[in-house]
Amino acid sequence: MIKNYFLIAFRNLKKNKAFSFINIAGLAIGMAAALLIIQYVTFELSFDNFHAKKDRVFRVTQDRFEHGKLSTQWAGGAFAEGNAFKNNFPEVEDFVKVVGNGSLLAVNNDTRLTLEKTYFASQSFFNVFSYPLISGDPKTALRDVNSAVITETVAKKLFGTTDVVGKTFKFDLNLLKVTGVMKDYPENTHFRSDLLMSYSTLLKFAGPKNDLDNAWLNDGCLTYLLLKPGVDAKALEAKFVPYVDGVYKKINWSGATAAYHLLPLEKIHLSPNLMLEAEPHGDGKSVYLLAGISIFVIIIAWINYINLATARGIGRAKEVGVRKTLGSNKGQLLAQFMLEAMLLNGLAIVLAVVMIIVFLPIFSAISGQNITLTLLVKPVFWLAVVSLFLLGSFFSGFYPALVLSNFRPAEVMKGKLSASPRGIILRKVMVVFQFAASFFLLIGSLTVYKQVNFMEKQKLGINIDQTLVIKPPLAHVDSFYRSMSAFKNESLRNPAVKSVTVSTNIPGDPVQWNAGGIKLKGTDQASGKQYRIIGGDYDFLKAYGAKVLAGRLFSKDFSTDPHAVVFNEKAVQLLGFDKPEQAVGREIDFWGQVYTIVGVVQNFHQQSLHDAYDALIFRCIPDVRGNVSVKISTDNLPRTIAALKSNWKTFFPGDQFDYFFLDQHFNEQYHADRQFGQVFATFTGIGIFVACLGLFGLVSYTIVQRTKEIGIRKVLGASVNSILTLLYKDFALLVMIAFVVAALLGGFAIHQWLQTYAFRIDITWILFAVPFIIVLFISFATVSWLSFKAALMNPVKSLKTE
């Protein structure tokens, strides 16, 4: 019996080649798209799931408040929280502290290596996390002062081997001993480093007077708690509130308070970015939206099958009637048609896997994920393949099989069978869904494109063009100011160099110098507020073209400027002034030091347009260490860069001349948005193509059914235009209904998405009109090509058609 079912199924595939091709191609494209998105989403959801204790590890996030108003949300909070929570809450089994140290220059004999990501980490690091050590004792590797753990890649570059435990290397004037070598970090982790130094080394640098380890007002420490088995994290978080309130009441400093939250380790990657994140995060909303797109695309492909299978049902009615007359029961017929669906889905899934192999490099480039053919050996991939096959066979095959197996032999044999009203309505509903989904995806894709384009083209309020940024030198600690002054003077002799300035931050980077308690001189301490601080030399604001609203910028002509500050508009408002002029000349108390406000500049975008303007204070620090911003002429650029490199080697021998262009660096903030837009647009196109493929098949079959009707109309004098209008009418109505549904849902969705941006485009009619025109054009072109052929057909041939 099974053999007979397969034989009949293959005969039907060969007999209806066009129908089979459209169904298999549509299903294959839909399945391939869904499988690729599933891999993308699965990877994004897999972050940090390799840690053995992942279910019990939580990062402590901190919300800072001033006078009850939220001022900053930190990924890394106070240094004291780890010790305090461990000592006061028995639910906490262990904790680890991780503190960023930026870049450093590691030196081993003649080998000099710049390590971009270095951290201090407490002794429990390898107890809480499951990053494996190749060599070294995980219990003691980060215990002693001046001990360090490096990755295998760093070990090979610095020493030429991974067998380096016990060896030493230098940075600045310090000597570090390698106590462990760990495997390189996997791609799916929220934290990665080149070097981990013991936390006790940081405490040594800070000195005993500061008592950094128990400080509640020093932020910047990433703290992770390992809870005991069975502990309710939410209940523990609630216990933090009265304890922390009591701590801050004792401190009683400038109205400062804080709230601490527990963020599960596995959710860190897709949670919103906070101040001091170890790595840029993924976008949780985007990931879940792409998961929704994959569902849309595969449902569109399944709908194609259902529509075509049920539309063809009348053509197979006599087959059903004859088989029922000869004794076939409903169950046997249901099995036959379900087997046909399984055969089509099976062929489609094979084709889908082939398409994935072919297009995987392209998808990897678009998505930014390093997905290789090793994907094909992962159990999760084949689980998705089998699941899609089984679900597709059932959802796309069950309803058509039910419809076809329910035909009544008597009606079929008398030729009285026609499509049921309920079946016609269901097909129309499914067509509406297909085109509504297409409209929805296009509206979303266009919105993403316009928002990203808006952010990249928007004026920042400062000039970052033609700016080359040199990363700060890592050696020459003692002679930095003297060497930098010489470098600046020599470089400015070059006519192609317009300015050279040094600052703690450059546009595009988060300002991590966060200072609370700043107030007007003579006012109560409780009036203190929190600001972001950027330190720069005399030329910093001038070099970037900051617009002065009141007062002046820093200048060497004023010997008092090292005790001067410049505010931006937002900072002036936070200080309590309505107009910039009111702030000029006023003195502020900055942690016990008195500074004079000499100027106010216009707000500018220090970071991407995701973020609102920050309250910024600019301090004049002539000997500031940081990035070196060089404004240059683009004429003969290689020659100018070579001259700068030569000067750098002269005044900073042994330091690497590592540079980048600021406009590219700033726009890197939109890299994730651009990639999301590319993925969104790609699968939007696939969804529309699959929908049109189904429309092509449905229109083809509709025209075949109405061939005799078209012939009679032509004999009775109907024009080609009137026949085209007749065939257009039904589909045009369905497209209009789909557009209305999609416009309502799409408008709501893009409004919600745009709310995540502080600066965003307006929702205008163009976001809906363009998708409407595109889908209308494509669908009508599809219908027109087939309808025009039918309308021009010789009526004699039409009337001969059985």
Side-chain angles (χ1 to χ4, degrees), residues 101-384:
N101 185 57
S103 302
L104 62 79
L105 183 67
V107 180
N108 175 41
N109 297 325
D110 295 330
T111 304
R112 306 169 75 88
L113 182 64
T114 299
L115 304 180
E116 296 290 349
K117 296 180 179 181
T118 66
Y119 290 86
F120 296 100
S122 58
Q123 186 177 345
S124 298
F125 185 86
F126 293 105
N127 177 46
V128 173
F129 299 116
S130 298
Y131 300 116
L133 284 177
I134 296 173
S135 56
D137 184 350
K139 294 179 180 178
T140 60
L142 292 169
R143 182 187 62 191
D144 300 328
V145 174
N146 292 339
S147 61
V149 174
I150 57 179
T151 63
E152 55 182 324
T153 296
V154 170
K156 290 174 183 176
K157 288 181 179 179
L158 195 59
F159 295 98
T161 177
T162 58
D163 185 19
V164 296
V165 171
K167 295 184 179 181
T168 60
F169 65 92
K170 293 180 181 179
F171 81 93
D172 289 338
L173 303 176
N174 302 283
L175 192 68
L176 288 177
K177 180 181 178 181
V178 179
T179 51
V181 177
M182 61 185 294
K183 283 188 176 181
D184 289 335
Y185 289 87
E187 290 186 17
N188 58 337
T189 180
H190 83 284
F191 176 86
R192 59 184 68 247
S193 68
D194 299 314
L195 166 72
L196 290 175
M197 294 175 282
S198 62
Y199 181 73
S200 56
T201 306
L202 172 63
L203 296 182
K204 173 193 168 187
F205 291 161
K209 288 184 179 180
N210 292 321
D211 193 20
L212 181 67
D213 197 35
N214 296 299
W216 282 99
L217 294 176
N218 287 65
D219 298 313
C221 179
L222 293 166
T223 301
Y224 301 84
L225 302 184
L226 175 65
L227 305 187
K228 291 179 180 177
V231 171
D232 184 343
K234 287 295 180 185
L236 176 59
E237 188 179 295
K239 290 183 180 181
F240 290 164
V241 177
Y243 175 79
V244 172
D245 286 346
V247 168
Y248 278 89
K249 281 180 182 178
K250 291 179 182 178
I251 296 173
N252 192 26
W253 189 69
S254 298
T257 55
Y260 292 91
H261 308 283
L262 294 176
L263 180 63
L265 180 63
E266 292 177 286
K267 292 186 178 180
I268 291 176
H269 177 64
L270 294 182
S271 65
N273 274 287
L274 305 177
M275 182 73 72
L276 215 73
E277 292 286 0
E279 293 285 327
H281 284 190
D283 186 339
K285 290 184 178 178
S286 298
V287 168
Y288 296 126
L289 185 56
L290 286 174
I293 291 174
S294 70
I295 294 172
F296 270 160
V297 172
I298 194 62
I299 288 177
I300 287 171
W302 289 341
I303 285 174
N304 284 350
Y305 182 91
I306 294 169
N307 275 342
L308 288 173
T310 52
R312 280 189 67 248
I314 296 172
R316 298 189 67 179
K318 286 186 178 179
E319 174 194 339
V320 174
V322 170
R323 291 180 64 180
K324 279 193 171 184
T325 302
L326 295 175
S328 291
N329 59 41
K330 184 177 178 179
Q332 290 173 322
L333 291 169
L334 197 64
Q336 168 67 53
F337 294 125
M338 282 297 295
L339 191 66
E340 287 187 19
M342 292 179 70
L343 179 61
L344 274 168
N345 276 272
L347 293 172
I349 203 74
V350 171
L351 181 58
V353 172
V354 172
M355 292 171 70
I356 288 172
I357 294 171
V358 173
F359 293 108
L360 195 57
I362 298 173
F363 177 73
S364 293
I366 291 172
S367 67
Q369 287 186 0
N370 185 27
I371 304 175
T372 64
L373 289 178
T374 55
L375 166 73
L376 300 179
V377 299
K378 293 181 178 178
V380 67
F381 174 77
W382 292 107
L383 178 63

Side-chain angles (χ1 to χ4, degrees), residues 520-521 550-552 560-561 563-567 572 575 577 579-589 594-600:
L520 284 170
K521 181 184 176 183
R552 62 176 177 83
T560 57
D561 271 9
H563 295 282
V565 289
V566 173
F567 276 43
V572 166
L575 200 60
F577 296 111
K579 296 180 180 179
E581 296 82 5
Q582 296 172 329
V584 177
R586 300 298 296 270
E587 293 181 324
I588 62 168
D589 184 335
V594 176
Y595 293 85
T596 303
I597 303 172
V598 298
V600 178

Side-chain angles (χ1 to χ4, degrees), residues 636-749:
N636 204 340
L637 191 59
R639 183 171 161 184
T640 303
I641 293 174
L644 289 169
K645 183 176 182 179
S646 175
N647 292 340
W648 189 265
K649 293 296 182 184
T650 299
F651 299 109
F652 296 101
D655 258 304
Q656 188 174 351
F657 181 73
D658 195 354
Y659 71 93
F660 55 86
F661 289 98
L662 186 56
D663 55 347
Q664 297 174 0
H665 173 76
F666 194 94
N667 283 332
E668 273 300 302
Q669 296 176 100
Y670 306 123
H671 180 70
D673 296 292
R674 283 195 299 271
Q675 284 192 326
F676 171 65
Q678 290 171 354
V679 174
F680 201 137
T682 299
F683 289 100
T684 294
I686 290 172
I688 292 171
F689 177 76
V690 173
C692 287
L693 201 61
L695 181 65
F696 183 90
L698 195 58
V699 173
S700 297
Y701 204 80
T702 300
I703 288 172
V704 169
Q705 286 185 312
R706 301 181 72 172
T707 300
K708 189 173 289 187
E709 176 192 344
I710 292 170
I712 293 170
R713 287 179 179 274
K714 290 196 73 173
V715 169
L716 295 176
S719 66
V720 172
N721 285 340
S722 66
I723 293 172
L724 286 175
T725 302
L726 176 72
L727 295 171
Y728 279 146
K729 188 172 63 177
D730 287 344
F731 292 105
L733 179 62
L734 297 180
V735 169
M736 287 300 299
I737 294 171
F739 174 71
V740 171
V741 172
L744 292 173
L745 295 176
F748 175 77

Side-chain angles (χ1 to χ4, degrees), residues 288-495:
Y288 296 126
L289 185 56
L290 286 174
I293 291 174
S294 70
I295 294 172
F296 270 160
V297 172
I298 194 62
I299 288 177
I300 287 171
W302 289 341
I303 285 174
N304 284 350
Y305 182 91
I306 294 169
N307 275 342
L308 288 173
T310 52
R312 280 189 67 248
I314 296 172
R316 298 189 67 179
K318 286 186 178 179
E319 174 194 339
V320 174
V322 170
R323 291 180 64 180
K324 279 193 171 184
T325 302
L326 295 175
S328 291
N329 59 41
K330 184 177 178 179
Q332 290 173 322
L333 291 169
L334 197 64
Q336 168 67 53
F337 294 125
M338 282 297 295
L339 191 66
E340 287 187 19
M342 292 179 70
L343 179 61
L344 274 168
N345 276 272
L347 293 172
I349 203 74
V350 171
L351 181 58
V353 172
V354 172
M355 292 171 70
I356 288 172
I357 294 171
V358 173
F359 293 108
L360 195 57
I362 298 173
F363 177 73
S364 293
I366 291 172
S367 67
Q369 287 186 0
N370 185 27
I371 304 175
T372 64
L373 289 178
T374 55
L375 166 73
L376 300 179
V377 299
K378 293 181 178 178
V380 67
F381 174 77
W382 292 107
L383 178 63
V385 167
V386 173
S387 298
L388 271 183
F389 168 69
L390 294 176
L391 287 172
S393 299
F394 178 78
F395 285 119
S396 64
F398 184 74
Y399 176 72
L402 197 63
V403 171
L404 295 174
S405 63
N406 275 332
F407 287 157
R408 295 179 181 176
E411 292 182 357
V412 170
M413 304 311 285
K414 291 178 181 178
K416 293 182 178 180
L417 186 70
S418 61
S420 72
R422 282 190 302 176
I424 294 172
I425 291 172
L426 181 60
R427 278 202 299 277
K428 288 183 177 181
V429 167
M430 288 190 287
V431 170
V432 167
F433 175 86
Q434 282 184 308
F435 281 97
S438 300
F439 279 126
F440 182 88
L441 293 175
L442 263 177
I443 291 168
S445 185
L446 182 60
T447 302
V448 172
Y449 167 78
K450 289 185 72 66
Q451 175 63 23
V452 174
N453 190 58
F454 166 77
M455 292 190 295
E456 290 183 333
K457 300 293 176 63
Q458 184 76 357
K459 291 183 178 179
L460 301 177
I462 51 173
N463 181 12
I464 65 171
D465 296 333
Q466 299 179 335
T467 304
L468 178 147
V469 177
I470 308 170
K471 293 183 179 181
L474 300 175
H476 306 87
V477 177
D478 298 330
S479 61
F480 175 80
Y481 180 63
R482 184 173 64 253
S483 298
M484 183 54 67
S485 297
F487 171 78
K488 288 175 68 172
N489 292 333
E490 185 62 31
S491 297
L492 287 170
R493 294 174 186 269
N494 187 337

Side-chain angles (χ1 to χ4, degrees), residues 39-57 128-131 186-191 264-270 378 380:
Q39 296 312 305
Y40 178 91
V41 171
T42 301
F43 176 78
E44 290 293 307
L45 294 174
S46 72
F47 271 65
D48 295 300
N49 66 4
F50 57 87
H51 294 286
K53 302 172 184 176
K54 60 181 183 294
D55 297 332
R56 296 193 286 133
V57 179
V128 173
F129 299 116
S130 298
Y131 300 116
E187 290 186 17
N188 58 337
T189 180
H190 83 284
F191 176 86
L265 180 63
E266 292 177 286
K267 292 186 178 180
I268 291 176
H269 177 64
L270 294 182
K378 293 181 178 178
V380 67

